[in-house]
Amino acid sequence: MILFPAIDLKGGQCVRLKLGDMNQATVYNPDPAAQAKAFEDQGFEWLHVVDLDGAFAGESRNGAAVEAILKATRNPVQLGGGIRTHAHIDAWLAKGLARVILGTVAVRDPALVKEACRLHPGKIAVGIDAKGGKVAVEGWAEASSLGVVELAKKFEGAGVAAIIYTDIDRDGVLAGINWDATIALAEAVSIPVIASGGLASLADIRRMTMPDAQKLEGAISGRALYDGRIDPAEALSLLRAA
């Protein structure tokens, strides 16, 4: 079970949004590379990075910050936000990313995702961001008519490394992970699922160790780590003991 610390990039800085609103951003570290190294020093073994500006623009907007992160940490890094073409995918994987996360393009062009999985085995994750149970795209700015499980099932057997499921209504507000919806998704597909959005406290970490959550690959934590609501050593110890 992996706990993924999150670095969300806006204007080259490490921020957290509230409910996916770019106008409600809190800057936590102006140096994302230093933050990446700090997470590694705390014992985390993966890093989750999102180019928020890129998600809205449809192409990389914080490339220099991501490259600095890759140089600063030995941990594998997964990146999402504005990655929508084969050229984007190829370029980022060539720079040393462990995984790229495809979100909007998974709705718009599922065939591209499947082809990317074929070309880059184990390196393609799908980001499914939901609001009111429906998938949101374009940096969460637009709602689609697709249901979460409906979209996830399109990629069964395609070789997707993981699905990162975010409940936008809980993101950045420390309301707790939507465990019911996340576990229901994990039970509906064979693709590993990573929980995201709202992880608030050690209670959520303990929830990750329960039997019905064992099929998850892990969960992403942002604001709770930055605010000190979760002690990294205690959280990682709980997960390793599970």
Side-chain angles (χ1 to χ4, degrees), residues 130-145:
K131 191 170 182 64
K134 296 296 183 182
V135 178
V137 294
E138 305 293 347
W140 300 354
E142 293 180 24
S144 77
S145 59

Side-chain angles (χ1 to χ4, degrees), residues 61-72:
R61 284 289 188 267
N62 287 281
V66 177
E67 290 183 37
I69 286 169
L70 289 170
K71 290 185 176 74

Side-chain angles (χ1 to χ4, degrees), residues 7 12 23 29 33 71 73 91 113 135-136 147 163 174 192 199-201 206 216 225 231:
I7 291 179
N23 295 315
N29 194 329
K71 290 185 176 74
T73 182
V113 177
V135 178
I163 289 173
L174 301 166
L199 196 146
S201 66
R206 293 188 187 95
L216 299 177
L225 284 173
D231 175 72

Side-chain angles (χ1 to χ4, degrees), residues 15-82:
V15 308
R16 294 301 294 170
L17 302 185
K18 184 176 181 180
L19 301 173
D21 184 349
M22 288 288 272
N23 295 315
Q24 296 191 69
T26 303
V27 176
Y28 279 99
N29 194 329
D31 187 344
Q35 186 63 59
K37 182 64 167 63
F39 281 140
E40 180 184 319
D41 292 343
Q42 288 169 347
F44 293 100
E45 296 177 353
W46 265 88
L47 183 62
H48 175 79
V49 180
V50 178
D51 180 345
L52 295 170
D53 300 304
F56 284 90
E59 60 184 19
S60 176
R61 284 289 188 267
N62 287 281
V66 177
E67 290 183 37
I69 286 169
L70 289 170
K71 290 185 176 74
T73 182
R74 294 166 295 180
N75 282 345
V77 178
Q78 61 185 24
L79 171 70

